[in-house]
Amino acid sequence: MNFQDIKSYAENCIRDYPPPCACACPFVLDVRAFIDRVAKGKYSGALRLYSDAVLFPGTVSRLCPAYCGDFCVRGGFDSSVDIRLIERGVLENVKRAEPVRYAIPPKNTRVAVIGAGLSGLSCAYRLAGKGYIVTVFEASGNIGGAAVKSLPEGIADADFQSAFKYIGYELRLNERIKDINEVHHNFDAIYVSTGKEGNDFGLLPSWNSKTLTSSMQGVFAGGSLTDCPPIWSIENGLRAASSIEEFLKTGRNDGVGLLYDRPPVNDKFYEIKYDFHAPAPADVSYIDEAKRCPMCNCSLCIDACPLMEYYKTNPKRIAADLGVTVLPVEGKIKHVASRMLNSCNLCGLCDAVCPAGVETFAAMFESRRMMSDSGNIPAAFHDFWLADMQFSFSDSAYAVIGPESAGSGLLFFPGCQLAASSPHAAEAAYKYIKSIRPDASMMLSCCGIPAAWAAESDMLAQCTEKIRAEWLKLGCPDVLFACSSCMQNFEQYLPEIKGRLVYEWLALNDGELCYPNYIRDSLDSGDSAADLSGACVFDPCSSRTNEAGRTAVRRLAEKSGFSLSELDLSGPKAACCGFGGHIYPANPSLLSKVINERTYAAESTYITYCANCRDFFLHEGKDSLHILDILFAAEVRVKLPGFSERRQNRAALKERFTGVLSKPRVPAVTLDIPDAILKKMNGLLLLNEDAEDIVARSELTGAKLINPDNDRFTAYGKSLSVTIWVEYEMHSKTQAVLHNIYSHRMNIKPGTRGEPHVAGIPDESGLICAKCRIPLEKTETKFEYLKHEFSHAIPKCPICDRAYISEELVLGKMLEVETMLEDK
């Protein structure tokens, strides 16, 4: 996609497109809005909407053959909605049918209408209502034409009186125009609607059926003169009014045909599954009939996508927002959708459920790439996960465990997250594979998907090239993936590497597999049978097109003793657990919503085959088991590790297979971190070593603040794109307790050393600079974030410039400013 493609990607979206019934209606009546008002008892509003569209409601409701009924989507289920019954019900029950009165200034432009039938009156109504001076010539002594003679007495007259109650025009009855030249020189435009077999004044041979224009400048024709049925005659009058007004404004006599292109019936509406109510009884009221209407609007992607629901948006609005956001005009616009496009899980469910083939996923992904290429994605949105990916490729964690012989016929790729949270399962699975296939190898690495999600093209290329090179060295083996996202990423960026999910292979090669009697063993430990025997397989979003893999996981789970039921969002409609796209730093509230919806979609245990899914559910307290833990792990119920422990697990897994010890990390100061603080660090995406480094550096340099009331120190330092603040207490020279930690994204710009400080205001924090041994003073300080600079008074040491920012300020004004700048 390019910039123009992103702007136009939703052109085929049928959200808010006129439903088939409206497209078939001569007036393109907004049927959805009309029916909605009727169903809610808003009859005056319904009548106003109907009257604005058809002009003469009583007449149309009786003469119209209901063209809409032939296209009603309900017709294929039981019977089409009877719109005429609803229209008449409104007319009979409305309490106020008074037309709206508008004060329109008159125009000094004259229009003649020849013929006072339905078409002529419609044209006269529309033009006179806009202030044009309209004169209607009628050869007979009555208005309405032949069509209204079949109606009950008074119906048509009541319509005409109501329509023209506040709209003035000149009516000349019993005045037949024999030669159009009689009026041509006295009027600026003419509409000829003389009725069936009426005088066409020689216009029909040059008549344009779309614009209703003729070869005679400023002269138009339509209605039953051109063989239109009564309802289409009214439509002709309205269309002629548009052509005449265009002519009067611009002098163009072609009517600008594109103005009159009607929306075609979109067959995609018939592919949507509607929740039809039971067939209505024969003697149904108009209100009941209105409730039978399915309203025919597509919301499949909105219903499936938490992001669209969260932002109250749809593909058409997303297209507009993305188009503005990626517009390559530096400094001229706001990137209005920056946070939204970084809040997308990139799971593609919206595309999977779309009946019109709209590719919202591609638009989101390409927009993110364009924003990344232009340097307009805040680094904090993705840098933690990119650093985690780089750790997987580092000497500490990366390894290729080869077969004893030269070549490998099979390569096991457990993925970085399974190795991080269930290294024992990855290890046991590989040993089982190797027991059957001695030529099997294993690659401990990341597939590179964090770089793909962050739209870091160069970094992604480096990752995939390293994997490709190793694969070639191994002899181009087939790959067994433990993670369907890894498999999907290989298919997109390493298509020459073929593989399948390891679960397919296990289901076909389970002769030596000792299926655990998991239910029995769990009952022995005191668990409830009701809680354990029933389970749902949670399909990761990346497995949506992999039926073989999904089936294999279910077979393995059932052989392990589980009785399975299905989630609504599973199989081809598998939904993201929330991990996809790494949206947490950009939109934690949306992620919380996604996880909550997925976690409580069912009460039973979840069986997953994606480590990220399992870990997210465990974090929410959901009973969740990875299928490899069930098959191979001695302890099925995995304790969720923190981010630092996850890295340690990957390093330890490599060491167990290679015997090569990674360079041990020996911090200068060892931290005792309480569980509550550890949980907070995981929420902030901070590592233990981040805090250790800051404490060690502050102890070495003396760059710290002290609270004399409790002898606790406060220090700060940078890690990746965030500034981290720690509050700690030293127990010895090499041992400390961490009491608090928090972080912010904006940078504190250092003061200019050597210049005297402006006298500050004494600070009330009570902190003292540990190095200079003097209290802090509030000093105007410069901050920088996303190329914006601003200043704010914060406590500082007046001598060494050591700053202090409270957690209250970080979570208050600073977070507000950071969010505002990120949204730009």
Side-chain angles (χ1 to χ4, degrees):
M1 280 188 171
N2 56 32
F3 164 63
Q4 290 298 336
D5 291 334
I6 288 171
K7 285 184 62 180
S8 60
Y9 90 91
E11 286 180 347
N12 293 331
C13 177
I14 60 175
R15 175 68 180 178
D16 296 331
Y17 185 90
C21 57
C23 294
C25 172
F27 310 103
V28 196
L29 172 68
D30 189 345
V31 178
R32 279 191 291 251
F34 175 68
I35 294 289
D36 180 65
R37 294 180 187 183
V38 174
K40 293 177 179 177
K42 298 179 179 180
Y43 306 131
S44 295
L47 178 60
R48 182 173 298 112
L49 180 68
Y50 181 56
S51 298
D52 287 346
V54 306
L55 303 191
F56 312 125
T59 301
V60 172
S61 65
R62 287 167 174 80
L63 289 180
C64 183
Y67 301 100
C68 54
D70 294 336
F71 293 87
C72 178
V73 299
R74 182 153 193 157
F77 174 71
D78 47 20
S79 61
S80 299
V81 175
D82 188 348
I83 191 72
R84 289 178 298 185
L85 173 64
I86 300 171
E87 292 165 356
R88 290 196 296 271
V90 170
L91 288 167
E92 292 168 3
N93 290 276
V94 70
K95 293 181 179 179
R96 184 180 177 213
E98 181 75 7
V100 178
R101 185 172 189 172
Y102 299 101
I104 304 296
K107 297 179 175 63
N108 189 26
T109 309
R110 297 171 56 82
V111 179
V113 176
I114 304 176
L118 291 175
S119 192
L121 291 176
S122 301
C123 182
Y125 171 88
R126 185 67 84 217
L127 291 173
K130 293 185 176 183
Y132 294 97
I133 302 170
V134 179
T135 300
V136 178
F137 298 90
E138 170 55 43
S140 71
N142 300 295
I143 63 174
V148 302
K149 294 179 180 179
S150 63
L151 297 177
E153 186 176 353
I155 294 294
D157 288 340
D159 272 344
F160 301 149
Q161 289 175 13
S162 176
F164 288 100
K165 184 172 184 178
Y166 300 120
I167 294 177
Y169 73 107
E170 181 183 6
L171 176 62
R172 297 187 184 181
L173 297 175
N174 300 308
E175 189 166 339
R176 183 183 298 276
I177 304 299
K178 297 180 180 180
D179 186 345
I180 199 168
N181 290 317
E182 295 176 28
V183 293
H184 197 202
H185 61 280
N186 292 325
F187 293 90
D188 299 291
I190 300 172
Y191 179 52
V192 178
S193 57
T194 52
K196 191 172 181 62
E197 299 180 358
N199 190 348
D200 69 352
F201 305 106
L203 301 173
L204 292 185
S206 62
W207 179 70
N208 185 312
S209 61
K210 177 178 285 190
T211 63
L212 309 185
T213 55
S214 71
S215 60
M216 186 175 290
Q217 188 78 353
V219 179
F220 305 78
S224 56
L225 172 67
T226 59
D227 290 331
C228 275
I231 299 304
W232 282 101
S233 291
I234 299 175
E235 187 275 342
N236 269 202
L238 297 174
R239 184 149 40 109
S242 295
S243 284
I244 290 171
E245 188 169 28
E246 183 70 23
F247 167 74
L248 295 174
K249 288 180 177 180
T250 68
R252 297 183 63 169
N253 198 51
D254 59 5
V256 192
L258 290 177
L259 294 176
Y260 314 109
D261 285 340
R262 300 175 55 78
V265 172
N266 195 315
D267 292 337
K268 297 298 181 182
F269 278 99
Y270 300 103
E271 298 178 18
I272 300 172
K273 292 183 178 180
Y274 299 94
D275 184 18
F276 292 126
H277 304 296
D283 186 20
V284 66
S285 72
Y286 72 97
I287 297 177
D288 291 333
E289 188 67 10
K291 293 178 180 179
R292 289 182 68 235
C293 176
M295 303 300 279
C296 293
N297 203 359
C298 184
S299 62
L300 294 176
C301 62
I302 300 171
D303 296 339
C305 176
L307 178 144
M308 292 193 198
E309 194 279 331
Y310 180 88
Y311 282 102
K312 309 299 180 188
T313 190
N314 59 66
K316 290 180 179 177
R317 290 182 59 184
I318 289 174
D321 289 343
L322 292 181
V324 172
T325 298
V326 303
L327 185 66
V329 182
E330 183 66 27
K332 299 296 183 182
I333 57 163
K334 286 184 178 181
H335 298 293
V336 296
S338 176
R339 190 176 302 280
M340 181 185 70
L341 66 90
N342 283 283
S343 301
C344 178
N345 287 131
L346 299 176
C347 72
L349 181 58
C350 51
D351 293 6
V353 300
C354 178
V358 175
E359 297 180 340
T360 301
F361 161 78
M364 285 288 202
F365 186 86
E366 287 302 310
S367 295
R368 194 178 287 192
R369 181 188 61 77
M370 293 173 72
M371 289 284 286
S372 176
D373 291 347
S374 62
N376 286 311
I377 291 183
F381 283 3
H382 297 286
D383 62 357
F384 177 84
W385 301 109
L386 293 175
D388 192 65
M389 180 191 73
Q390 290 172 328
F391 176 83
S392 293
F393 280 96
S394 71
D395 292 340
S396 296
Y398 181 84
V400 177
I401 317 301
E404 287 73 15
S405 58
S408 174
L410 200 61
L411 173 64
F412 179 45
F413 195 94
C416 58
Q417 297 307 314
L418 181 68
S421 61
S422 291
H424 48 280
E427 179 179 358
Y430 175 55
K431 288 180 178 178
Y432 177 78
I433 295 168
K434 197 169 180 60
S435 70
I436 297 175
R437 289 288 301 270
D439 63 338
S441 57
M442 177 169 66
M443 182 182 292
L444 299 178
S445 178
C446 176
C447 66
I449 205 168
W453 285 340
E456 290 286 348
S457 303
D458 292 342
M459 196 178 294
L460 176 61
Q462 293 171 9
C463 296
T464 53
E465 189 52 44
K466 184 169 185 177
I467 293 171
R468 181 184 289 108
E470 295 283 12
W471 174 73
L472 290 171
K473 286 181 184 178
L474 290 169
C476 305
D478 290 339
V479 181
L480 298 180
F481 297 96
C483 171
S484 56
S485 292
C486 292
M487 181 175 171
Q488 188 179 68
N489 206 54
F490 270 57
E491 289 172 347
Q492 185 166 0
Y493 299 107
L494 292 163
E496 66 272 33
I497 301 179
K498 306 302 179 184
R500 54 182 168 166
L501 289 179
V502 68
Y503 317 109
E504 294 180 53
W505 187 91
L506 289 172
L508 294 171
N509 295 273
D510 62 348
E512 303 299 321
L513 186 62
C514 297
Y515 282 101
N517 195 325
Y518 177 64
I519 305 302
R520 185 194 63 202
D521 294 344
S522 298
L523 287 174
D524 289 343
S525 66
D527 286 316
S528 165
D531 293 338
L532 294 168
S533 60
C536 297
V537 173
F538 188 93
D539 294 314
C541 54
S542 48
S543 73
R544 200 175 296 128
T545 59
N546 191 343
E547 183 178 0
R550 300 194 306 266
T551 301
V553 171
R554 285 160 173 78
R555 176 184 169 184
L556 294 171
E558 288 171 345
K559 283 196 170 187
S560 297
F562 289 92
S563 176
L564 301 178
S565 57
E566 291 295 330
L567 293 166
D568 290 337
L569 293 176
S570 63
K573 293 185 178 179
C576 183
C577 66
F579 187 82
H582 291 149
I583 72 172
Y584 174 61
N587 204 327
S589 61
L590 175 58
L591 177 61
S592 178
K593 169 183 168 60
V594 175
I595 297 176
N596 186 269
E597 289 180 3
R598 304 297 180 248
T599 300
Y600 299 106
E603 295 183 1
S604 53
T605 298
Y606 281 174
I607 295 175
T608 72
Y609 47 108
C610 169
N612 296 320
C613 296
R614 188 272 314 275
D615 293 351
F616 264 37
F617 296 137
L618 285 179
H619 183 271
E620 290 299 300
K622 177 75 173 179
D623 192 13
S624 182
L625 310 170
H626 195 286
I627 188 64
L628 290 182
D629 284 326
I630 294 172
L631 295 175
F632 296 111
E635 177 56 53
V636 176
R637 298 182 184 278
V638 175
K639 181 183 177 182
L640 189 62
F643 287 120
S644 292
E645 188 180 354
R646 296 172 81 89
R647 292 191 178 184
Q648 294 165 11
N649 286 342
R650 276 176 269 181
L653 182 60
K654 174 187 175 178
E655 290 175 6
R656 286 199 294 275
F657 277 102
T658 64
V660 178
L661 298 178
S662 60
K663 186 177 181 180
R665 172 183 168 80
V666 183
V669 176
T670 301
L671 287 182
D672 179 13
I673 306 177
D675 289 343
I677 301 298
L678 202 57
K679 183 177 180 180
K680 183 178 182 181
M681 291 174 67
N682 288 326
L684 294 172
L685 302 181
L686 301 177
L687 300 173
N688 297 10
E689 44 265 44
D690 292 330
E692 289 172 349
D693 288 345
I694 294 172
V695 171
R697 188 164 53 250
S698 68
E699 287 300 303
L700 179 65
T701 63
K704 56 186 178 179
L705 308 172
I706 186 171
N707 185 335
D709 293 338
N710 55 22
D711 290 330
R712 292 181 181 177
F713 297 103
T714 297
Y716 67 91
K718 289 282 293 185
S719 177
L720 300 175
S721 60
V722 298
T723 298
I724 303 170
W725 292 81
V726 295
E727 181 186 343
Y728 64 97
E729 180 181 1
M730 295 300 298
H731 280 186
S732 67
K733 289 184 177 181
T734 59
Q735 186 70 31
V737 176
L738 187 63
H739 288 289
N740 195 17
I741 189 168
Y742 51 95
S743 64
H744 54 79
R745 297 174 180 177
M746 64 175 63
N747 296 319
I748 309 169
K749 300 200 75 173
T752 304
R753 302 303 297 272
E755 293 183 5
H757 265 278
V758 177
I761 304 171
D763 177 54
E764 299 177 357
S765 66
L767 295 178
I768 294 174
C769 177
K771 188 174 183 179
C772 303
R773 310 306 297 179
I774 59 173
L776 307 183
E777 295 180 355
K778 282 193 175 179
T779 307
E780 200 71 17
T781 304
K782 288 186 178 181
F783 292 84
E784 183 273 333
Y785 191 52
L786 299 177
K787 302 177 184 178
H788 292 267
E789 285 193 4
F790 37 89
S791 61
H792 186 76
I794 61 171
K796 273 189 171 183
C797 173
I799 297 177
C800 71
D801 210 39
R802 192 67 182 169
Y804 171 66
I805 299 178
S806 68
E807 187 172 15
E808 181 182 10
L809 181 60
V810 166
L811 298 178
K813 188 66 176 178
M814 288 183 73
L815 179 60
E816 181 183 332
V817 173
E818 289 169 349
T819 301
M820 178 188 69
L821 294 177
E822 289 165 354
D823 285 339
K824 288 184 176 182

